[in-house]
Amino acid sequence: MKGASFPTHQRQWASDTVPATFSSTSSPGTEEFVEVTLDLQDDDTIILRNMELASTAITVDDGAYTSASTSRSPTIRKSSSNTLRQFSQGRKVEAVAKAKQFSQELKAELRKLSWGHGHAALTLPGSDSATAARALRKQRAQLDRIRSGAQKALRGLRFITNNEANAWEEVENNFNKLAKHGSLFRSDFAQCIGMKDSKEFAQEMFDALSRRRRLKVEKISKDELYEYWSQITDQSFDSRLQIFFDMVDKNEDGRITEAEVKEILTLSASANKLSRLKEQAEEYAALIMEELDHERFGYIELWQSETLLLQKDAYQSYSQALSYTSQALSQNLQGLTNKSRVRRMIKKLLYYLEENWKRLWVVSLWIMIMIGLFTWKFFQYKQKNSFQVMGYCLLTAKGAAETLKFNMALILLPVCRNTITWLRSTKLGLFLPFDDNINFHKTIAAAIAIGVILHAGNHLACDFPMLIKSSSDHYDLLINDFGSHKPTYLDLVKGAEGVTGILMIICMAIAFILATRWFRRNLIKLPKPFDRITGFNAFWYSHHLFIVVYILLVIHGVFLYLVHVWYRKTTWMYLAVPILLYAGERTLRFFRSGFYTVRLSKVAIYPGGVLALLMSKPPQIRYKSGQYMFVQCPAVSPFEWHPFSITSAPGDDYLSVHIRQLGDWTQELKRLFSEVCEPPVSGKSGLLRADDTTKKGLPKLLIDGPYGAPAQDYWKYDVLLLVGLGIGATPFISILKDLLHNIVKMEEQADLVSDSSRTSELRSGSNDSGTPNRVPPKRKKTLKTTNAYFYWVTREQGSFDWFKGVMNEVAELDQRGVIEMHNYLTSVYEEGDARSAFITMVQALNQAKNGVDIVSGTRVRTHFARPKWKKVLSKLSSKHCNARIGVFYCGLPVLAKQLSKLCYEFNQKGSTKFEFHKEHF
């Protein structure tokens, strides 16, 4: 090797080390090479790592080296001691001497390159300054690629997510279905390779692959499709990068202009449903050219786009969490210890009891009470004459009736929201599962349905027919109950007891059916006009049939055939207290809604059909973050009240709710406010807005609340994991704002204490009279919650506008890093997919340059696809060992089951305790 030359190295994807070869002549015309592995450090020092016999023989012919193998440079591997023993001692000495010489020369070249990279204006002989600067940057980029481990940086640049062994078989089957006369047309290419949702992107890839073959075709054969497929799924990063470059470089000149960058950005934005990014493609194309085209040539080359990919991870380092791999591994290994089947079952049982003991004891007590009441009434009537006539049918009906009276009284208690909100803040909250009040309400309703079937079924189908068919001797036992004339079946049914019973069954059946999920959530589509019996409105109004049911129940309990003494007619005794309590709640609600007069101060209609309402805060209202309140708009309906999470913090001087259009009532509410909102003026966002200066009068609103919810107990946990899907983020926005207010207050108190202590010291130093020092102000109790992690998953880019101000405020004021926010957009292909590669690059670049995420428009980075929840919980359990983590979720039930299961799994493995809570409305 000549001293002035710089060795040319092939790209090394898999390591941060560089192999250099040194010859030792073994035969004429052929040199045997020693492979030396050098480690290039960040401070430009070089460490000799390894020496071994090179696997590629090189023949010397007139000073030119010709490789005997056409393969790439071998990847770096560790040398074994056995290989080193093959060298003679003299050859080792010679190799080491040459390695030292090479090390010194390479180190000198690195210093020159480092100096040249920082001085782009360097002029080389025979070249202008701009060309020289780009050449030096290219050399530096090639070296940086070796040093940074490009394989790790580029491993995600893939076109096809399905890497299974049978992937080609699926493509081949699609070809057979779509091909016409043995050829696949360009328009069907996307569907054939599994990119049906990205048709334009797939067609651009089709054109790029065709240009490689110097063809411009509209259809291809199966063999050509296989060739295209092989290139697309090639594991070589250079190959995939070249395909991606060729998609942009349509004129095949090896250069990408700003217009071509804009075109691929527009295409990527369209494939990922990012309409705003599509509108700003020109701006971001200019940003990329500014970053890569320093010399203002007007184009970039392959190595420059590769550089941007390499630097992406460095740009995004601000949002990457710390690695706790070793702790996570040790915790996971704890769960893999070999345990017997009995011990595993016992552990699962103990965990189940620990998680559900509140529910279990309440449900167990409830069931025991019902069994007791049923048994008591069963044996009581067994001692009466009526048993000899109507048998066990009567006993079953009377036992079921007693449980019905109890459950009809009990079912009102879980929906006494004011009482439950007050009780959950007392000591009873430690023993009663107030978060499950609606579930308990539904469970009682199911028990009532069973009770009605047993009671009414036995009367109508069993004991009434037995009474009618009874002999005269047996009937004489019941003359005091039914009179001297034996009643007919119609007489029994049309009596007060029969009529009220049948009417109650009808009303309860209507209310029960329309309250089911299929009807309440409009999952059943009925033709008009029957479609009006589905939806929330039908559920709401049908549920008010309970007023009729309770009136009929009291009448039914008075006109009994077999009981004549008033104090033994116990129906009213069961119902008195619950009905009075519930009536008091509704009365309080009526007067409080009129007492809490609110004035709308601001209205905004966001993308995705979300209506944000900011209103004045009544001085009497006190609420906690995570709670909700009911809202009524008389202009829409004077009777309907709907619950919405409060998105303002307790410390704010206003109340706010965010309402998404999901049903009839919310749709009408949005329409009503859209009419009074004014179009945006220049200089403001493109949202429909209204405030107290709006010319048109804003509709009147009534509020009622606040009411308790699981999220209000967030302050009990050391660490918070808040997970919201779409509009499900609303209960956690208030928590984030409240945490932020507490953080700011704690910092202010710390500064106040520090200033007070300093002032006290100065006074004590200058005070000669010996006056005692003043006691500094007492600090408030430190916030128990040390960290909060907020994961917001949504499928629409416009959703981030809903809480943009809150996210920016948290990012700006949370200097201690207490709150960590993660936005996830599911409409964008996951990071690493070629369809989102340019978006990821622009996102990282703009964040580094301007501090703003291009997707959300906030300072919080947006991730693509869905979170890996197992990985999220694994990091939390490793980072916060022995901590009590509250997992709060609001969204679709499917993810609730997944998170609950993961919490259970991680609680089994390590010392970190996850407690899962789901919002219920």
Side-chain angles (χ1 to χ4, degrees):
M1 182 180 74
K2 294 181 181 181
S5 65
F6 184 78
T8 302
H9 300 285
Q10 296 296 325
R11 292 172 176 171
Q12 304 300 317
W13 295 95
S15 177
D16 292 338
T17 57
V18 181
T21 55
F22 305 95
S23 65
S24 176
T25 305
S26 59
S27 63
T30 305
E31 291 189 348
E32 188 176 0
F33 278 74
V34 178
E35 185 177 77
V36 180
T37 302
L38 302 174
D39 194 349
L40 308 179
Q41 303 295 314
D42 290 338
D43 57 356
D44 289 341
T45 60
I46 302 175
I47 300 174
L48 180 63
R49 291 293 188 192
N50 182 40
M51 290 186 302
E52 63 179 353
L53 184 64
S55 60
T56 305
I58 299 180
T59 304
V60 182
D61 183 14
D62 295 333
Y65 291 94
T66 305
S67 176
S69 172
T70 59
S71 62
R72 293 177 178 268
S73 298
T75 55
I76 307 307
R77 58 188 182 275
K78 294 185 178 179
S79 175
S80 64
S81 59
N82 293 331
T83 306
L84 289 176
R85 291 194 187 98
Q86 297 176 5
F87 293 97
S88 64
Q89 189 65 29
R91 187 173 293 177
K92 287 184 180 179
V93 174
E94 181 183 358
V96 171
K98 290 190 176 184
K100 289 182 179 179
Q101 179 185 357
F102 171 77
S103 174
Q104 293 175 356
E105 294 170 352
L106 184 59
K107 186 174 180 179
E109 290 293 336
L110 281 170
R111 287 175 177 170
K112 289 179 182 180
L113 277 176
S114 299
W115 183 85
H117 182 70
H119 298 76
L122 177 65
T123 304
L124 296 181
S127 303
D128 57 34
S129 59
T131 305
R134 177 163 288 199
L136 284 172
R137 287 204 303 121
K138 183 175 182 180
Q139 289 182 348
R140 181 69 180 183
Q142 291 173 342
L143 185 61
D144 284 345
R145 186 188 195 195
I146 297 171
R147 297 172 63 184
S148 63
Q151 180 178 7
K152 181 179 179 181
L154 294 177
R155 64 186 175 184
L157 186 61
R158 60 186 183 277
F159 295 95
I160 302 297
T161 56
N162 184 6
N163 294 323
E164 298 178 2
N166 63 343
W168 166 247
E169 294 179 8
E170 295 182 14
V171 175
E172 190 175 19
N173 291 334
N174 291 337
F175 177 88
N176 295 332
K177 295 177 182 177
L178 299 171
K180 299 176 182 177
H181 305 293
S183 297
L184 179 73
F185 282 85
R186 177 178 179 269
S187 57
D188 297 325
F189 181 70
Q191 184 176 353
C192 185
I193 64 173
M195 297 178 68
K196 185 177 180 180
D197 296 334
S198 307
K199 188 173 182 178
E200 293 180 6
F201 189 90
Q203 290 177 350
E204 289 293 339
M205 185 164 55
F206 179 93
D207 294 340
L209 294 171
S210 299
R211 287 195 296 269
R212 282 186 163 193
R213 303 174 73 246
R214 303 299 181 207
L215 297 174
K216 187 175 183 182
V217 295
E218 286 295 323
K219 58 183 179 180
I220 55 176
S221 65
K222 183 183 289 189
D223 292 337
E224 290 171 326
L225 175 64
Y226 182 76
E227 181 184 343
Y228 284 15
W229 177 261
S230 300
Q231 294 181 53
I232 294 170
T233 57
D234 192 340
Q235 294 303 309
S236 167
F237 299 111
D238 276 340
S239 176
R240 283 190 262 175
L241 183 64
Q242 187 66 55
I243 294 175
F244 190 72
F245 187 86
D246 291 343
M247 290 178 61
V248 188
D249 181 25
K250 294 186 177 181
N251 57 7
E252 302 179 84
D253 61 353
R255 301 172 177 179
I256 300 178
T257 63
E258 184 173 335
E260 289 174 322
V261 172
K262 177 186 174 182
E263 186 174 349
I264 194 65
L265 273 176
T266 304
L267 186 64
S268 298
S270 177
N272 291 279
K273 302 178 180 65
L274 297 176
S275 57
R276 295 184 184 177
L277 182 61
K278 194 173 180 180
E279 296 170 359
Q280 297 174 293
E282 184 174 353
E283 174 188 345
Y284 294 131
L287 182 66
I288 290 178
M289 298 301 292
E290 178 185 350
E291 173 68 13
L292 299 181
D293 185 21
H294 295 173
E295 300 78 23
R296 302 295 186 268
F297 282 174
Y299 65 86
I300 58 176
E301 299 172 273
L302 175 65
W303 66 268
Q304 289 167 300
S305 59
E306 176 187 312
T307 300
L308 187 58
L309 280 170
L310 286 170
Q311 294 176 346
K312 170 178 66 68
D313 288 342
Y315 289 144
Q316 292 178 346
S317 60
Y318 64 90
S319 65
Q320 293 176 355
L322 296 177
S323 175
Y324 295 91
T325 307
S326 59
Q327 295 99 319
L329 181 61
S330 63
Q331 285 203 354
N332 290 336
L333 289 176
Q334 292 178 18
L336 297 177
T337 54
N338 190 17
K339 296 180 180 179
S340 66
R341 184 177 180 181
V342 175
R343 290 186 63 185
R344 288 197 303 268
M345 291 180 63
I346 292 175
K347 191 171 183 179
K348 287 184 178 180
L349 177 61
L350 292 176
Y351 176 79
Y352 180 80
L353 294 175
E354 182 182 359
E355 289 292 307
N356 299 281
W357 68 270
K358 292 182 182 179
R359 301 184 184 97
L360 289 174
W361 87 261
V362 170
V363 173
S364 299
L365 177 63
W366 172 60
I367 292 175
M368 286 190 293
I369 291 174
M370 286 194 297
I371 292 174
L373 291 173
F374 186 93
T375 305
W376 168 56
K377 217 59 174 175
F378 186 93
F379 286 102
Q380 184 186 63
Y381 272 84
K382 194 174 183 181
Q383 308 300 321
K384 294 188 177 183
N385 294 332
S386 54
F387 169 65
Q388 299 179 30
V389 178
M390 291 180 277
Y392 285 97
C393 294
L394 177 66
L395 306 188
T396 305
K398 290 300 182 180
E402 203 67 20
T403 63
L404 277 172
K405 289 187 281 187
F406 170 68
N407 284 326
M408 287 296 291
L410 187 63
I411 198 171
L412 293 175
L413 299 182
V415 291
C416 292
R417 292 186 174 90
N418 288 291
T419 304
I420 289 177
T421 301
W422 170 68
L423 289 176
R424 69 185 302 138
S425 61
T426 66
K427 296 290 185 181
L428 287 176
L430 301 174
F431 308 101
L432 296 175
F434 289 116
D435 292 344
D436 294 316
N437 61 318
I438 299 300
N439 284 336
F440 191 43
H441 177 80
K442 294 176 182 178
T443 304
I444 298 171
I448 289 174
I450 296 173
V452 168
I453 293 172
L454 289 175
H455 179 72
N458 277 281
H459 273 322
L460 297 175
C462 188
D463 58 30
F464 282 3
M466 290 180 68
L467 174 63
I468 297 168
K469 295 177 182 179
S470 63
S471 63
S472 301
D473 295 337
H474 280 87
Y475 181 76
D476 290 341
L477 299 173
L478 301 178
I479 289 178
N480 294 331
D481 299 316
F482 293 97
S484 57
H485 298 285
K486 184 190 297 184
T488 63
Y489 191 87
L490 183 61
D491 293 333
L492 294 173
V493 171
K494 71 179 184 180
E497 194 173 30
V499 172
T500 54
I502 292 174
L503 289 176
M504 278 193 292
I505 291 174
I506 295 172
C507 292
M508 292 168 72
I510 293 172
F512 188 88
I513 292 172
L514 297 185
T516 57
R517 180 172 174 268
W518 301 280
F519 281 86
R520 182 165 47 90
R521 296 188 177 274
N522 263 326
L523 300 180
I524 293 179
K525 302 300 180 182
L526 299 176
K528 293 184 178 181
F530 300 105
D531 59 336
R532 298 181 66 86
I533 66 173
T534 62
F536 187 85
N537 286 347
F539 157 75
W540 175 259
Y541 288 115
S542 65
H543 243 56
H544 283 77
L545 287 173
F546 80 93
I547 299 174
V548 178
V549 170
Y550 277 101
I551 294 173
L552 293 173
L553 181 58
V554 172
I555 298 173
H556 186 81
V558 172
F559 294 95
L560 295 177
Y561 288 123
L562 302 177
V563 180
H564 307 288
V565 183
W566 71 270
Y567 56 83
R568 290 183 180 177
K569 298 177 181 180
T570 57
T571 303
W572 66 273
M573 300 179 186
Y574 279 99
L575 301 178
V577 174
I579 286 179
L580 288 174
L581 180 62
Y582 185 79
E585 286 247 347
R586 295 301 293 262
T587 304
L588 173 64
R589 182 170 173 172
F590 174 79
F591 286 106
R592 185 170 58 183
S593 62
F595 186 63
Y596 284 169
T597 55
V598 294
R599 177 180 52 83
L600 285 171
S601 56
K602 184 179 178 182
V603 177
I605 300 177
Y606 291 101
V610 169
L611 177 67
L613 301 176
L614 274 70
M615 60 198 81
S616 60
K617 181 180 179 181
Q620 304 86 0
I621 193 169
R622 298 287 185 272
Y623 65 94
K624 300 176 182 178
S625 292
Q627 292 184 331
Y628 66 96
M629 66 182 182
F630 281 84
V631 176
Q632 184 199 72
C633 181
V636 177
S637 172
F639 306 109
E640 294 183 44
W641 291 84
H642 293 263
F644 300 101
S645 296
I646 304 173
T647 53
S648 55
D652 293 333
D653 57 356
Y654 62 89
L655 283 175
S656 67
V657 291
H658 287 68
I659 302 172
R660 185 164 194 178
Q661 178 183 326
L662 293 174
D664 298 339
W665 188 87
T666 52
Q667 183 177 0
E668 183 64 19
L669 186 72
K670 184 198 168 194
R671 186 198 62 79
L672 192 64
F673 278 98
S674 299
E675 294 177 353
V676 298
C677 286
E678 298 177 350
V681 296
S682 59
K684 290 189 177 182
S685 63
L687 302 176
L688 290 173
R689 296 180 182 273
D691 51 32
D692 46 13
T693 62
T694 303
K695 295 179 181 179
K696 297 181 180 179
L698 294 174
K700 181 182 178 182
L701 282 185
L702 301 177
I703 65 170
D704 175 52
Y707 293 105
Q712 75 176 61
D713 297 326
Y714 76 92
W715 55 272
K716 297 179 180 178
Y717 295 93
D718 306 317
V719 179
L720 299 177
L721 175 59
L722 311 174
V723 181
L725 263 60
I727 198 64
T730 49
F732 309 129
I733 295 300
S734 178
I735 293 177
L736 293 179
K737 295 172 73 175
D738 195 33
L739 282 173
L740 186 62
H741 289 172
N742 288 327
I743 292 168
V744 173
K745 285 181 181 179
M746 288 171 61
E747 291 176 351
E748 291 176 351
Q749 290 172 6
D751 294 339
L752 183 62
V753 170
S754 177
D755 294 341
S756 178
S757 301
R758 193 179 299 110
T759 304
S760 179
E761 290 175 2
L762 292 174
R763 287 180 177 177
S764 62
S766 60
N767 190 356
D768 299 331
S769 61
T771 305
N773 298 336
R774 293 184 180 180
V775 179
K778 186 178 180 180
R779 294 183 63 179
K780 293 185 178 180
K781 187 178 180 180
T782 306
L783 184 67
K784 182 177 182 180
T785 303
T786 58
N787 291 91
Y789 300 87
F790 175 52
Y791 283 79
W792 186 15
V793 184
T794 182
R795 64 174 179 267
E796 298 174 0
Q797 182 186 7
S799 302
F800 296 119
D801 289 345
W802 305 346
F803 309 113
K804 182 186 292 187
V806 176
M807 289 188 286
N808 283 331
E809 187 180 6
V810 171
E812 181 180 354
L813 298 180
D814 183 22
Q815 301 298 326
R816 296 168 55 196
V818 174
I819 302 172
E820 188 175 302
M821 295 180 292
H822 300 268
N823 294 335
Y824 279 82
L825 186 61
T826 58
S827 66
V828 180
Y829 292 96
E830 63 181 344
E831 295 169 21
D833 194 298
R835 287 166 286 188
S836 61
F838 246 100
I839 295 174
T840 306
M841 288 189 289
V842 174
Q843 181 193 41
L845 182 59
N846 193 72
Q847 182 77 37
K849 293 284 185 182
N850 305 317
V852 177
D853 182 77
I854 63 171
V855 178
S856 66
T858 69
R859 296 177 61 182
V860 181
R861 181 193 169 195
T862 301
H863 305 267
F864 301 144
R866 290 175 173 80
K868 305 294 188 293
W869 294 113
K870 190 170 186 178
K871 186 177 180 181
V872 171
L873 267 68
S874 178
K875 286 185 176 181
L876 290 180
S877 64
S878 303
K879 185 176 181 180
H880 303 285
C881 296
N882 303 312
R884 188 165 167 248
I885 301 179
V887 182
F888 295 90
Y889 170 75
C890 185
L892 297 175
V894 176
L895 183 55
K897 294 179 181 178
Q898 181 184 350
L899 288 174
S900 179
K901 184 178 179 181
L902 285 173
C903 289
Y904 166 75
E905 291 177 0
F906 279 94
N907 286 339
Q908 298 293 311
K909 293 178 182 178
S911 58
T912 307
K913 176 70 172 177
F914 291 92
E915 296 186 15
F916 180 74
H917 304 274
K918 181 184 179 300
E919 290 289 327
H920 295 283
F921 281 139

